[in-house]
Amino acid sequence: GGPSAPCTDTALICIKFPRITAVPTVTGDTAHFSHLIISECAVHALPAKAFKAFPGVSDLLVEESNVTTVDKDAFVGLAQVVRLVLTDNLISVLHKDTFKPLKYTLQFLLIRQNSLSQLHPETFLGLSQLVILDLGLNQLTQLPTGIFADQYNMLTLEIDGNPLK
C-alpha cells in the first residue's frame, strides 16, 4: 500500500504532503470518490493502473508534484474522468496511448507547465469529447500534422509559452 491521506465524503485530498511519494491507497469502498487531488507532493511517477483504487473519479488533479513519468497505462481502470489536470510537473514524454482509457469521458485536459518537447501524432486520438486542451508553457517546438484530427468538440487549445517554430 501507499501512503494515507485525508478524505471527505467524495474526495481524497493530498496537498502539501512532501512524504507522499505515490498515489495514495484507501481501504474500504472507494467507488464514492469523485475527486482525487494530489498537489504539492512528491509523486515522481504515475505507474500502470496508478488510480485503480478510484474507479469513480471524474475529477483527477496531480499538480505541482514533481511528476516526471506517466506510464502508458497509468489511467487504465478510470472510465469516468471528465477533468484531468497534470499541471506544473516535470513530464517530458507522453506515450501515444496514455489517454486512451479516458477517450469516452475526458473533456478537460490540462498539461500546462511541464517539460514536453514533442508529442506523438496519436497522443489525443480518440478523445472525441475533449473541449479544452492546455499544453501551454512546455518545450514544444512543433505540433505533428493531424494531431487534433478528431477533436471535433474542442473549443480551446492553449499553446502559449512554447518555443514553436
Side-chain angles (χ1 to χ4, degrees):
S4 61
C7 301
T8 68
D9 287 344
T10 60
L12 175 64
I13 304 169
C14 309
I15 298 177
K16 294 185 180 178
F17 281 90
R19 290 184 313 228
I20 292 183
T21 58
V23 175
T25 57
V26 177
T27 55
D29 181 20
T30 58
H32 63 283
F33 287 114
S34 59
H35 295 66
L36 177 56
I37 301 168
I38 301 172
S39 181
E40 297 180 60
C41 295
V43 179
H44 298 287
L46 300 180
K49 300 181 183 177
F51 306 97
K52 68 181 178 215
F54 306 97
V57 165
S58 60
D59 205 10
L60 177 56
L61 286 76
V62 183
E63 56 187 5
E64 295 182 66
S65 291
N66 297 309
V67 174
T68 56
T69 58
V70 179
D71 187 277
K72 75 177 187 72
D73 295 323
F75 304 111
V76 167
L78 295 176
Q80 299 180 37
V81 174
V82 173
R83 184 169 76 133
L84 176 58
V85 179
L86 299 170
T87 58
D88 206 3
N89 283 295
L90 302 168
I91 301 166
S92 58
V93 176
L94 289 170
H95 188 275
K96 71 180 182 76
D97 296 330
T98 301
F99 304 115
K100 268 203 170 106
L102 313 174
K103 66 182 178 182
Y104 297 113
T105 58
L106 191 63
Q107 296 178 22
F108 306 93
L109 177 56
L110 312 178
I111 318 173
R112 185 174 195 82
Q113 200 161 347
N114 277 280
S115 301
L116 293 171
S117 59
Q118 61 182 359
L119 294 169
H120 188 280
E122 296 177 17
T123 302
F124 308 113
L125 185 68
L127 298 179
S128 60
Q129 302 304 311
L130 200 60
V131 176
I132 295 175
L133 175 60
D134 189 345
L135 297 168
L137 297 172
N138 276 284
Q139 302 302 315
L140 297 170
T141 56
Q142 65 178 8
L143 295 173
T145 302
I147 192 166
F148 307 117
D150 64 351
Q151 269 50 69
Y152 305 113
N153 293 309
M154 191 181 311
L155 298 175
T156 303
L157 171 63
E158 294 285 346
I159 54 172
D160 62 297
N162 282 291
L164 293 168
K165 296 177 182 171

